Amino acid sequence: MLKISRRSIIASGLGATLAGCANAPIIGGRTIGSTKAYGFGALKPLDLSIENLSTITVCTRPFRAAGPRLEAATVNGKTIVHNYGHGGSGWSLAWGYAGNARDLVAAGRPKSVAVLGAGAIGLTTAIAIAETGAKVTIFARELPMESRSARATGVWSPSSRIGLGAAVNADFPARWEALARRSYARHLSYVGRAGDPVEFTPRFYVRSQTREPPLIDPPAEGDDFLHLGRRLRGMEPPWSERNGSPFRSDAGVRGGLVMTFNIAEYARQMTDDFLAVGGRIERADIASMADLARLPGDVVVNCAGYDARTLAGDTSLVPVRGQIAWMPPQTDRLYGVFYRNVMALSRRDGLLIQETGGNDYYGFGDGDETPDKDEFLAALAKIAPIFNWG
Ligand SMILES: Cc1cc2nc3c(=O)[nH]c(=O)nc-3n(C[C@H](O)[C@H](O)[C@H](O)COP(=O)(O)OP(=O)(O)OC[C@H]3O[C@@H](n4cnc5c(N)ncnc54)[C@H](O)[C@@H]3O)c2cc1C
């Protein structure tokens, strides 16, 4: 019935699964065998008391079967470069696509550029173009921390819902790999900065002897989502079996380090970086492609995310719903755990609880951004018991 959930979670170790995106990147299979590397002895249990719930957010992944749209078009004589549709991988791949969008824009040698959108894609694209010396203005209805990007899990998950195998071009995997590697390198340049916008924190995949059924079945013909993480093998710290774990489970635990985006701080530093290279940000609500083409700038870049479906009439964009319940940060215990298809991730800017549903079809085609408290309660009931120690 289900071709992916178990296999891809275990094989990949859960970078993307913890991202709330059921297919994960990479994860080498090398066994270290040390329990000290992740300091189980010092590990404090996450406090998932229900009273800690501060809010529930819902976000829509902008999925395109053919992969993200990155191309130049002409509208009313103006060059529009489209850069949207990054599914569950927008944060991860942002810098890679930003570089390619910059190259498309630079072909016209513009002096001024308008970027629509201040999410992960708009911000990175605007910075990359501004670094070439062009005068760049971001126009956006929602500023960075108001955008859907602010409601993401915040982990390195470059092949999460990035396309369907049958719909992408034959050269997509190779192009994707180059983009992912370039993006990863730029994320790395934020590691160690004050405020820790990007950092590596431990993840644990806690197994159970009872197979957790997925909340939704994939189509009868099977799962066709691209899972390209293995192409990046060797880039990330390896995962291994972890003995002596305190997690209350009847099976083993695998652990590793995963690149984590503390989105509040990352978005702030990106905004500062953009302003520092002379960028400007203006609030604007663009109603049509004709209005988009009228934005001041020799070239306009469309980074509208899922909203490109309405703005650009791109009906190939499919919404993929994802919900996160937030608790206040617990910064003395920064790690993530995946158990029974639920992820609990303690980030510097919040503790997240997320039901991943067990496969990539969870939330597929669902554009409803209304919070569902019952989903959170069910997820909490599944994962909270493993922290009963200490
Ligand atoms: C639950 C969940 C968890 C996720 N976790 C991860 C993760 O851990 N790692 C990862 O890599 N990816 C993750 N993703 C995917 C990632 O969040 C998206 O791919 C990414 O946010 C898309 O960014 P964007 O900039 O294209 O779109 P958005 O963040 O939606 O930004 C769009 C911008 O365009 C503006 N805009 C749109 N239309 C108009 C208009 N007409 N006029 C004016 N402004 C307009 C908006 O106001 C906004 O500023 C997750 C997604 C979900 C749903």
Side-chain angles (χ1 to χ4, degrees), residues 45-389:
L46 298 181
D47 178 358
L48 302 189
S49 309
I50 195 164
E51 308 80 62
N52 287 344
L53 177 66
S54 43
T55 189
I56 298 176
T57 59
V58 181
C59 167
T60 299
R61 300 174 184 87
F63 175 79
R64 294 178 85 237
R69 182 177 184 197
L70 180 67
E71 63 181 352
T74 305
V75 176
N76 297 343
K78 177 80 70 78
T79 300
I80 309 279
V81 172
H82 295 286
N83 185 15
Y84 63 79
H86 301 79
S89 302
W91 276 102
S92 305
L93 295 173
W95 287 115
Y97 276 89
N100 280 21
R102 173 203 57 213
D103 294 346
L104 279 178
V105 167
R109 299 185 178 278
K111 288 197 170 60
S112 63
V113 177
V115 172
L116 180 78
I121 302 299
L123 263 181
T124 50
T125 300
I127 293 170
I129 297 169
E131 285 171 347
T132 67
K135 193 167 164 267
V136 182
T137 305
I138 290 177
F139 296 89
R141 192 174 47 227
E142 285 105 12
L143 300 182
M145 286 309 289
E146 302 160 352
S147 71
R148 290 194 175 96
S149 293
R151 310 198 288 265
T153 315
V155 302
W156 171 248
S157 58
S159 83
S160 169
R161 295 175 172 105
I162 195 64
L164 294 182
V168 298
N169 290 332
D171 65 346
F172 183 85
R175 281 191 292 116
W176 172 90
E177 180 178 339
L179 287 162
R181 287 184 182 277
R182 201 175 316 144
S183 206
Y184 191 76
R186 184 80 186 242
H187 288 307
L188 277 180
S189 73
Y190 282 82
V191 174
R193 280 205 198 185
D196 294 300
V198 181
E199 65 183 328
F200 287 89
T201 58
R203 294 296 189 284
F204 302 105
Y205 172 55
V206 180
R207 289 190 292 267
S208 166
Q209 287 195 5
T210 317
R211 180 179 171 277
E212 187 67 27
L215 295 180
I216 188 163
D217 286 341
E221 59 273 20
D223 167 42
D224 190 28
F225 279 96
L226 284 171
H227 300 290
L228 299 169
R230 283 165 192 276
R231 280 186 163 256
L232 302 180
R233 188 176 296 231
M235 233 173 76
E236 281 198 326
W239 278 56
S240 64
E241 276 310 302
R242 301 284 154 187
N243 301 319
S245 124
F247 300 111
R248 297 269 180 250
S249 82
D250 55 10
V253 174
R254 277 174 70 77
L257 291 172
V258 174
M259 180 185 267
T260 303
F261 310 129
N262 293 308
I263 289 177
E265 184 61 16
Y266 204 7
R268 188 190 69 74
Q269 294 203 15
M270 282 184 183
T271 304
D272 285 355
D273 291 351
F274 176 58
L275 298 176
V277 283
R280 291 179 53 242
I281 303 181
E282 275 187 35
R283 220 182 259 278
D285 196 345
I286 305 303
S288 66
M289 288 301 282
D291 284 353
L292 186 67
R294 271 193 284 272
L295 283 176
D298 301 329
V299 177
V300 175
V301 190
N302 173 19
C303 305
Y306 179 66
D307 291 336
R309 186 179 162 98
T310 314
L311 184 66
D314 185 346
T315 53
S316 71
L317 269 166
V318 177
V320 186
R321 184 184 190 279
Q323 171 171 300
I324 291 174
W326 298 82
M327 294 184 175
Q330 297 177 19
T331 51
D332 58 343
R333 52 201 83 180
L334 296 173
Y335 63 91
V337 176
F338 187 85
Y339 178 65
R340 296 184 63 195
N341 295 337
V342 177
M343 183 273 296
L345 174 62
S346 175
R347 258 173 34 195
R348 223 165 262 282
D349 51 2
L351 194 157
L352 297 67
I353 297 162
Q354 187 174 1
E355 170 63 64
T356 69
N359 65 49
D360 283 335
Y361 284 93
Y362 190 59
F364 193 77
D366 185 353
D368 186 351
E369 295 191 335
T370 311
D372 176 353
K373 192 165 182 188
D374 289 342
E375 182 195 279
F376 156 66
L377 293 174
L380 191 67
K382 286 203 272 182
I383 199 163
I386 65 168
F387 295 106
N388 285 337
W389 92 82

